[in-house]
Amino acid sequence: MSEGSRGGSLAFGQVVIGPPGSGKTTYCHAMREFLGRLGRSVAVVNLDPANEALPWPCALDIAELVTLPDVMDSLGLGPNGGLIYCMEYLEANADWLRDKLRGLAGHYVLFDCPGQVELYTHHESLKNVFGQLAKWNFRLAAVHLVDSHYCTDPGKFISVLCTSLSTMLHVELPHVNVLSKMDLIEQYGKLAFNLDYYTEVLDLSYLVDHLASDPFFRNFRRLNEKLVEVIEDYSLVSFVPLNVQDKQSMRQVMQAVDKANGYSFGDQEHRSLEALMSAAVGADFHFSSTLAVQEKYVQSQDKAVEEEVMDL
C-alpha cells in the first residue's frame, strides 16, 4: 500500500462516522461479527483518541500514537480542541498509519472514527486522512450513523438532514446514511409520518407544516422553509434503517455499503448473479427494507395498545 501505487491490490472498508452516542463502536463490533460469519477477514481500526476503554478488541488503536487525555493535559485544551489537535497530529503522522495498515493486508477494514461533528463538516484533517487512504488503494464508503430518535422531533430531524448533507459534501466519499437503534425508536414517541417518509426524505413541506403547529417554531417557518429547500435542491440525503440485533437489517446495510465502495463488484469473493443484482438495486431495495422495519414498528405499537387495553 505504498503512496500513489495504483497498481497494487485494492483494500475495501468503511469509515464509520456520526455524532456521539449514535452507536459507532457498537456498529463496528456487530458488523465485524456479521461479516466474519460470511467469511470475510475483518479488522477494526480505532481512530477515536477519546475512546479510552474499548469494549471490544481492535486490530489497530490510535492510542498507540496519541490520546485525547494526554493532549488535554499537556496543551491545556478542552475536549473539542483536543480532538482537532489529535486529528491534525494523525494527519501529520500519516506514515505511522500507513505502516500499521500494512499489517492488515487482505482484511476488510472498519475505521471507528471520533464523534465530533465539526471534524466532518468543517475541519480538513480527517478528510485528508481519508484522501491518503484512497491513495493507498483503499476503496472506502462513509457510514454516517444517526440516532433514529431524531425522527420523532421534526425540528431535530431537519437539523440532522442539514448535518448529513454538509458531511456528505465535505467528506467527499460514497455515503450511506444510517438510522441506528431502530429497535428503540418506539420508546421515543409516535412518528408523525410513516417511516419511509424519513428514510427516503420525501416532500419536506409536510414537515414544515407540522413544525408550524408548534408556537415556538411558527416564528421560524421562513427559516425552516429555506433549510428544507437547500436539502431538497441537492436531493442527496436518504437513510437506511438499522437494528444491529437483526441479521436481515445488518444484511441490508451491508449490501448498501458494498454497493457504495464497490466491494460487490470485486473479485475477493465468489459473486453470484443474484448477489450482484441485490446489491445493484436502488430505491426498490431501500423501500423493501424500510417496509420491513415499518411493519415491526407498527406491530410493536399495536401490541403496546393491546396490552394497555388488557390492563384496563
Side-chain angles (χ1 to χ4, degrees):
M1 289 186 294
S2 61
E3 184 172 348
S5 66
R6 296 283 180 175
S9 60
L10 294 179
F12 292 88
Q14 308 174 22
V15 293
V16 184
I17 62 179
S22 56
K24 297 183 294 297
T25 300
T26 301
Y27 169 86
C28 287
H29 172 70
M31 186 57 72
R32 181 186 66 177
E33 295 292 318
F34 183 79
L35 295 178
R37 287 193 290 269
L38 295 179
R40 296 192 199 180
S41 298
V42 184
V44 176
V45 173
N46 176 43
L47 292 184
D48 185 359
N51 232 345
E52 295 182 76
L54 292 169
W56 299 287
C58 60
L60 174 58
D61 190 352
I62 194 177
E64 299 174 25
L65 177 70
V66 63
T67 66
L68 181 59
D70 289 344
V71 169
M72 293 172 61
D73 292 341
S74 59
L75 299 180
L77 296 173
N80 290 339
L83 271 174
I84 289 175
Y85 179 89
C86 289
M87 292 302 101
E88 291 175 346
Y89 192 78
L90 175 63
E91 180 188 6
N93 291 273
D95 290 345
W96 172 87
L97 180 61
R98 180 181 58 191
D99 292 341
K100 291 291 185 179
L101 288 174
R102 282 174 176 155
L104 301 179
H107 285 73
Y108 185 99
V109 185
L110 303 172
F111 294 91
D112 188 359
C113 298
Q116 187 176 354
V117 175
E118 292 83 357
L119 293 172
Y120 314 111
T121 59
H122 298 85
H123 201 255
E124 296 289 329
S125 289
L126 206 51
K127 171 186 173 181
N128 293 338
V129 170
F130 297 158
Q132 285 292 333
L133 290 170
K135 291 180 181 178
W136 302 335
N137 281 340
F138 273 92
R139 297 296 177 263
L140 300 172
V143 178
H144 184 212
L145 297 181
V146 175
D147 197 316
S148 60
H149 86 266
Y150 289 119
C151 294
T152 61
D153 187 319
K156 291 180 180 179
F157 186 66
I158 289 178
S159 298
V160 162
L161 292 174
C162 291
T163 302
S164 299
L165 177 59
S166 179
T167 301
M168 295 176 75
L169 297 176
H170 183 73
V171 172
E172 297 179 348
L173 283 176
H175 229 79
V176 177
N177 294 304
V178 175
L179 286 176
S180 62
K181 306 179 185 178
M182 286 303 304
D183 52 318
L184 303 177
I185 189 171
E186 67 268 19
Q187 297 181 12
Y188 300 113
K190 189 174 178 61
L191 297 179
F193 307 99
N194 286 338
L195 185 60
D196 62 324
Y197 178 88
Y198 301 93
T199 58
E200 301 301 326
V201 189
L202 303 176
D203 188 352
L204 295 178
S205 62
Y206 293 104
L207 203 61
V208 175
D209 292 338
H210 187 73
L211 274 173
S213 62
D214 188 314
F216 175 79
F217 287 107
R218 189 177 301 135
N219 299 325
F220 301 97
R221 182 184 180 98
R222 183 63 175 163
L223 173 62
N224 289 326
E225 287 176 345
K226 289 301 180 183
L227 290 175
V228 162
E229 285 179 13
V230 171
I231 296 166
E232 292 185 328
D233 285 346
Y234 277 96
S235 190
L236 290 175
V237 185
S238 62
F239 296 94
V240 180
L242 171 66
N243 172 10
V244 295
Q245 298 175 351
D246 184 355
K247 293 180 180 179
Q248 180 62 21
S249 178
M250 291 290 291
R251 177 177 176 270
Q252 289 162 349
V253 173
M254 178 200 72
Q255 287 178 323
V257 176
D258 284 352
K259 175 186 174 185
N261 64 15
Y263 185 89
S264 296
F265 309 100
D267 56 1
Q268 279 68 25
E269 296 174 352
H270 173 71
R271 307 288 199 273
S272 67
L273 178 61
E274 180 182 357
L276 289 174
M277 291 301 294
S278 65
V281 174
D284 290 341
F285 157 72
H286 288 298
F287 176 77
S288 62
S289 65
T290 304
L291 183 61
V293 176
Q294 176 70 21
E295 288 177 351
K296 292 181 181 179
Y297 171 74
V298 171
Q299 289 170 1
S300 176
Q301 292 287 327
D302 291 345
K303 184 178 180 181
V305 172
E306 290 176 1
E307 290 177 351
E308 290 180 2
V309 172
M310 291 296 293
D311 291 338
L312 294 175

